[in-house]
Amino acid sequence: MGSALQDGSGSHTNYPLAQCYFSQPVYNQMMRILLLLLIPFCIFGQKSVSVSNVSQNVTSQISVFSGPGSAGTIEEMTGKAFTPFGKNNFIAIASNKVYWFKISVQNPTSSPAEWVLECKDNGIEYVNFYVPDSKGSYRVMRQGPGQTPKKNALFIEYPHASISLAPHTSQTIYIQLTGARTLICQLLLHPTEKYSQKVLNDNLRFGLVGGALMIRLFYVFLLAVFAVKKPNFRVYVIYLFAGFLAYTGLHNTLGGFLTPDPGTAIKINTLSNHFKYLAYLVFALYVLPIRQFSPLVRYVLYVGIVLNLIVGGLIYIDYQWYWTKLSMELSVYFWPPIIVLLIFSKYKKLYVDWYYAIPYVVATTNYVFVRMISIGWFGGSIQQ
């Protein structure tokens, strides 16, 4: 059926196709209802959001410099050629490089603005914010777990700097980042009045997850002591304990809880993740039907355990980026063979206690995947 209908006078009148099936009054009523339904979507779609009243990820708006001369002063950095970044996540593999961010912040409103610029990354150790002052120079705000002891060891707060802008003005801010661990960073801009709530939410999430892990750990510890005497279960409890320590170390809380010294705290936080790799190797000796494999398999796992202990000692004695990177690489390289052995055991119908093996595989794969990102196997915008 066409969309042109012929009226009584013999001329053709163009009507929408729907009018072929509905009378004119019914069709008009349907159009009114449809319009009423669309009004809310039109209103919400036209709502604009200003940078002055919401938190935003501004990583894509930074420019980056890490070439020769990156260890220079702020006065030297202002004359360097920075490269626009354009991505939402900054990933830099562990190295001895110094990274500089440059970002311009503008207050387009007619009122003074107070913002907080936050560098969100658990791996950052030293962060210096250079913010312009009224004298045409820069004031430096030193942040990061390597140089700023926490007021509360169990409190999570990422490196940040306060920014004040007069109406219709802008500032160019420089940020210097260094450390021996991989950086997986986002630069976030928060209105000052919303920053406190954001920090509270971060700590609430950390507390909920950490509390749940502690309750589970306490429960299985009681079972291991009083009820379940199997060696597999007791090693599983040790594996869970290593996972809990790795979680708290990842959020830079374990080290600060054990010592007030920032340098030692960083080493403890790094080692907590390093020794989870040791725990998964030890647990593999109990999960796998190790006696039914060639002795070579057992010896390879023993070599991995010895390497872990050696590298862990080197990290503590000589904390350098190449030891932390080696730690991450070893934890990744030993995992695929264990997965292959589990699959082989299933195929050959060898005995595997899957009540332990399944949670072991899920938890360790998640840990190894994060380490893969940290050594550059996955993830975008990676700086070598």
Side-chain angles (χ1 to χ4, degrees):
M1 180 179 292
S3 61
L5 300 180
Q6 188 173 19
D7 60 16
S9 62
S11 63
H12 287 74
T13 304
N14 291 325
Y15 293 120
L17 185 61
Q19 283 186 273
C20 300
Y21 299 100
F22 302 104
S23 65
Q24 185 68 27
V26 172
Y27 174 79
N28 291 340
Q29 187 66 23
M30 290 174 60
M31 291 300 101
R32 293 190 188 99
I33 294 173
L34 180 61
L35 182 60
L36 289 173
L37 291 174
L38 289 176
I39 285 176
F41 295 95
C42 296
I43 293 175
F44 289 118
Q46 294 172 353
K47 182 179 179 180
S48 60
V49 180
S50 171
V51 72
S52 63
N53 59 16
V54 295
S55 297
Q56 290 194 5
N57 181 357
V58 295
T59 315
S60 61
Q61 301 176 39
I62 66 173
S63 297
V64 180
F65 178 79
S66 64
S70 58
T73 63
I74 179 60
E75 289 76 18
E76 294 172 335
M77 289 304 109
T78 56
K80 299 291 185 181
F82 281 67
T83 303
F85 186 61
K87 304 294 182 180
N88 289 325
N89 297 281
F90 179 84
I91 303 177
I93 307 305
S95 70
N96 60 350
K97 289 184 178 180
V98 178
Y99 293 94
W100 286 83
F101 294 169
K102 181 174 76 171
I103 185 169
S104 296
V105 182
Q106 182 180 15
N107 177 16
T109 69
S110 57
S111 302
E114 300 285 339
W115 294 332
V116 175
L117 191 62
E118 178 187 46
C119 206
K120 184 178 180 181
D121 179 20
N122 293 315
I124 293 177
E125 296 168 3
Y126 302 92
V127 184
N128 295 329
F129 292 88
Y130 293 89
V131 181
D133 58 20
S134 57
K135 299 178 182 178
S137 184
Y138 288 87
R139 59 188 175 94
V140 58
M141 286 172 274
R142 304 186 188 280
Q143 295 277 301
Q147 57 189 351
T148 307
K150 284 187 174 184
K151 297 178 181 179
N152 186 334
L154 299 179
F155 191 74
I156 296 177
E157 191 167 18
Y158 299 103
H160 62 281
S162 299
I163 303 170
S164 299
L165 284 178
H168 304 293
T169 60
S170 63
Q171 286 184 349
T172 299
I173 299 162
Y174 293 84
I175 307 169
Q176 182 188 42
L177 304 92
T178 57
R181 295 180 288 185
T182 292
L183 307 179
I184 305 176
C185 174
Q186 287 185 333
L187 198 64
L188 307 177
L189 189 64
H190 309 281
T192 300
E193 64 273 11
K194 294 186 177 181
Y195 177 70
S196 297
Q197 183 61 45
K198 183 264 176 191
V199 173
L200 181 63
N201 291 339
D202 286 345
N203 282 274
L204 179 61
R205 283 190 292 269
F206 171 74
L208 288 174
V209 176
L213 292 176
M214 286 186 67
I215 292 172
R216 181 183 66 170
L217 187 60
F218 179 71
Y219 174 69
V220 296
F221 176 77
L222 291 179
L223 287 177
V225 172
F226 299 107
V228 184
K229 306 296 184 179
K230 294 175 62 176
N232 285 18
F233 185 76
R234 292 185 172 180
V235 176
Y236 179 61
V237 173
I238 295 174
Y239 175 76
L240 292 180
F241 181 66
F244 173 73
L245 294 181
Y247 175 75
T248 55
L250 179 66
H251 289 84
N252 292 318
T253 57
L254 178 64
F257 177 75
L258 296 176
T259 175
D261 178 62
T264 305
I266 286 178
K267 294 178 182 180
I268 293 173
N269 291 329
T270 303
L271 287 172
S272 68
N273 277 272
H274 173 74
F275 285 131
K276 183 173 181 180
Y277 145 56
L278 172 65
Y280 92 60
L281 287 178
V282 172
F283 196 34
L285 294 171
Y286 290 84
V287 170
L288 294 169
I290 200 71
R291 298 294 176 184
Q292 300 182 54
F293 294 137
S294 165
L296 179 63
V297 173
R298 188 165 64 255
Y299 295 149
V300 169
L301 291 176
Y302 289 157
V303 168
I305 292 171
V306 172
L307 284 175
N308 178 278
L309 294 173
I310 292 174
V311 174
L314 291 171
I315 288 174
Y316 190 82
I317 296 171
D318 180 34
Y319 186 71
Q320 299 290 341
W321 67 270
Y322 38 81
W323 299 132
T324 62
K325 186 177 181 182
L326 179 59
S327 166
M328 293 183 290
E329 290 172 342
L330 290 175
S331 66
V332 170
Y333 297 153
F334 275 89
W335 183 237
I338 294 176
I339 293 294
V340 171
L341 290 173
L342 282 170
I343 295 173
F344 178 80
S345 300
K346 180 67 175 177
Y347 176 74
K348 289 293 187 177
K349 296 184 168 50
L350 303 179
Y351 176 76
V352 175
D353 194 335
W354 293 102
Y355 289 104
Y356 296 112
I358 291 175
Y360 167 69
V361 168
V362 172
T364 307
T365 300
N366 177 64
Y367 162 77
V368 171
F369 183 75
V370 173
R371 307 287 267 188
M372 286 180 178
I373 295 175
S374 298
I375 63 175
W377 284 21
F378 298 102
S381 309
I382 296 175
Q383 311 296 309
Q384 297 291 346

